[in-house]
Amino acid sequence: MGLLPCANVTILFQALLIIFFSCFCLPACTAIDTITLAQPIKDPNAIISNSEAFKLGFFRPANTNNRYVGIWYNKISVMTVVWVANRDKPLNDSSGTVAISKDGNLVVLDGREKIIWSSDVSNSVSNSSAQLLDTGDLVLRDNSNGSIIWDSFQHPSDSFLKRMRISNNANTGERIRLTSWKSPSDPSIGSFSAGLTDINLPEFFIWNGSLPYWRSGPWNGQKFIGIPGMDSIYARGLNLIDDREGIVSISFNPENESTYYILNSEGTLGRRYWIDGIEDWGIRFPAPRTECDVYGKCGPFGSCNPQDSPICTCLRGFEPKDIEEWNNRNFTSGCLRRTPLRCERNSNSSEVGKEDGFLKLKMMKLPDFAELSTAMEDECKSQCSKNCSCIAYAYYMGIGCMLWTESLIDVQKLSMDGVDLYIRMAYTELDKKKNMNLIISVTVIIGSLTAAICTYYLKRWIVKRRGCSNESMLWDNVDQVKLEELPLYKFEKLAIATDNFHLENKLGQGGFGPVYRVMLVHQ
Ligand SMILES: *[C@@H]1O[C@H](CO)[C@@H](O)[C@H](O)[C@H]1NC(C)=O
Ligand SMILES: *[C@@H]1O[C@H](CO)[C@@H](O)[C@H](O)[C@H]1NC(C)=O
Ligand SMILES: *[C@@H]1O[C@H](CO)[C@@H](O)[C@H](O)[C@H]1NC(C)=O
Ligand SMILES: *[C@@H]1O[C@H](CO)[C@@H](O)[C@H](O)[C@H]1NC(C)=O
Ligand SMILES: *[C@@H]1O[C@H](CO)[C@@H](O)[C@H](O)[C@H]1NC(C)=O
Ligand SMILES: *[C@@H]1O[C@H](CO)[C@@H](O)[C@H](O)[C@H]1NC(C)=O
Ligand SMILES: *[C@@H]1O[C@H](CO)[C@@H](O)[C@H](O)[C@H]1NC(C)=O
Ligand SMILES: *[C@@H]1O[C@H](CO)[C@@H](O)[C@H](O)[C@H]1NC(C)=O
C-alpha cells in the first residue's frame, strides 16, 4: 500500500464527513416536522416546520424555572411563543417528552412518564402523527386516511396567527377564543379572553372573567365600526363571516407574514408586526386604548369622551342616577331619562302630549345590544317610532337598520369615524333648545321695550323739570335706541299667537310680567 492519490484522499475525506454528520448531527440538523409513535421529542429537542418558520419544543419563560411545550417563531430573533400545550401544568425540570400515545393522542409526559397534558381526542386512533405546518398550526392526523383529528389552531392560546380562525357556533356552543396568559412569566390561563359574540350582530369582545371588557362595534363587511381609525390597512386581512344561522367566524389573512394579534396578560388586544431594522415587535391599534374604551365606562345612558373632563356625561335628556356617586367620578350607575316618553305616559293614560321625537347624536360608537331590522334606510326611523319599546335607532351602510330597546350602554363620542345615533326623546326635551331661544328673545324684547319707555319718560321728566339743554346732549345718545327699531307686535297678533294667552303657552312669570312661548312669522 503506497500513498493514496490526491483525488482518493478527497473522496475519503468527504465520505468521513458524511459519516460524521450522519452520526452526530442528524437528529438536530435535519429539520423534522413530525412527531410519530416511534419518534417522540425529548427536551431539549424540537421539531421545525418545513420552511423553518415555526418551531415546537420546550421553553422556559423569563423569571421562572417552569418548562412548557410551545410553538414559537423560528426565524425571529426575539423568542415569541404563540402557543402553549401544558399551560396549567408546567414541567419542573428538563425531563419532559412530547409523544404520540397508544390511543393516538398527542401528549406531554414528565420524567416519570406521567401524562401532564393531552390533546384529549376521545376516539382512539391506532396510527397517528403530529406535524408542525408552516402556518404554525400543529396538526394531529389519523394516518389511516389522513384526516385531521385535532389541531392547535382550534385550541389557541393568546395569539391569533395568520390563517387562523376565531369562531362561535351558537348551535353547538363550540367556540374558539383567545385566552390571556396570567402574567408574562406564567402561561397558565389568565382572566382575559377574546372572541366573537353570537347575540344579535356579531362583534369582537374582550372579557375579563365573564364580564365584557371591550367591544369592537359591529362589522360592516370591511371593518368593525366601533374602532376609530380602523381603516382598510388595519382591517386588511380580517374577514368576518356570519352565516346568519348561528355560526360566525373571523379569519386573518394579511399580506405580511410576521404579523399577528396578541391578547396580553393585562387584557390588551393588539396587532403585532415585526420591524426588521429594529429587530423587535411593534404594536398597532391596542384595544382598549383609552379609558373610554372600557366597556360600559359611563353606565347605561352615559356617553364617554376621552377628551372631556370628566370623561363621562349623560346623554342629552338624561341625568345622573346618583348625583353624588357621579360627582365622585363613579359612573357605573349611569343615567336616567329626565322626561318620560309619551309612550310611557300613555301607558299610564294620564295626559296625552305631543309626539316623541328623535335626537341626533353625531359620530358615536353605537351602544351594545343592537337588534338588526330588515327596514330600509328610509323606514328605519318609522320602524323605531311605531314601537314603544324602541328607544334608539341608527342606519349604517353595509349593516342596515339597527334598533335598541331597554338600555343604551357603552356609548362613546368618537373624534373620527363613528355613526349618527338617533335617540327617542319626549317632545318637550327635544324642544328645550328651541324654547330656550324663545325665552331669551321674548325677554330681551320686553326688557328693551321697558327700558326705552322708561328712558323716554325719564327724559321728558328731566327736560320738563330743569329745562336744561346741556344735559339733553347726554340723553340724545341714549335716544339712539329708537322705538321704531324694536319689533312691535299688535296685541291681536300676540293674542292669536299665544292662543289668547293660553296657559299651555305660558313659560313662566318674570319681573316684567308673564312670558309666553309664541311662533311668529315675520312679514
Ligand atoms: C418535580 O415534580 C415532581 C412531581 O410532579 C416531584 O416529584 C419532583 O420532586 C419535582 N422535582 C423538582 C426538581 O422539584
Ligand atoms: C403509520 O402510518 C404511517 C404513514 O402512513 C406508516 O408509514 C407507518 O408504517 C404506520 N405505522 C404503523 C405502526 O402502522
Ligand atoms: C378516517 O377514519 C376514521 C376511522 O378510522 C373515521 O372515523 C373517519 O371518519 C375517517 N375520516 C375520513 C375523512 O374518511
Ligand atoms: C378584571 O377583573 C378583576 C376581578 O373582577 C378585577 O380585579 C380587575 O381589576 C379587572 N381588570 C381590569 C383591567 O379591569
Ligand atoms: C407589511 O410590512 C411592511 C414592512 O415591514 C410595512 O411597511 C407594511 O406597512 C406592512 N403592511 C401591513 C398591511 O401591515
Ligand atoms: C360605584 O358605584 C357602584 C354602584 O353604587 C358600587 O357598587 C361601587 O362599589 C362603586 N365603586 C366605587 C369605586 O366606589
Ligand atoms: C305610571 O304609573 C305608575 C304607578 O301609578 C308610576 O309608578 C309610574 O312612575 C308612572 N310612570 C310615569 C312615566 O309617569
Ligand atoms: C316592539 O319591539 C320589541 C323588541 O324588539 C318586540 O319584542 C315587539 O314585538 C315589538 N312590538 C311590535 C308591536 O312590533
Side-chain angles (χ1 to χ4, degrees), residues 110-138:
D110 67 10
R112 293 181 302 173
E113 304 271 293
K114 211 180 106 210
I115 294 175
I116 62 160
W117 178 86
S118 164
S119 55
D120 267 335
V121 179
S122 47
N123 288 344
S124 166
V125 172
S126 61
N127 186 359
S128 62
S129 59
Q131 185 184 19
L132 181 61
L133 304 182
D134 280 330
T135 55
D137 194 8
L138 177 67

Side-chain angles (χ1 to χ4, degrees), residues 191-192 208-209 211 213 266 294:
S191 63
F192 296 96
N208 180 5
L211 299 174
Y213 180 54
E266 267 120 51
V294 172

Side-chain angles (χ1 to χ4, degrees), residues 64 74 126 147 210 233-234 240 271 325 348 350 352 472 488:
T64 175
N74 185 43
S126 61
S147 66
S210 59
I233 290 177
Y234 172 73
L240 186 140
R271 180 155 172 175
E325 248 179 43
N348 276 10
S350 51
V352 179
S472 72
L488 280 178

Side-chain angles (χ1 to χ4, degrees), residues 38-50:
Q39 210 169 17
I41 56 166
K42 207 169 160 35
D43 198 355
N45 291 331
I47 56 170
I48 295 171
S49 72
N50 188 44

Side-chain angles (χ1 to χ4, degrees), residues 325 330 332-333:
E325 248 179 43
N330 180 352
T332 49
S333 301

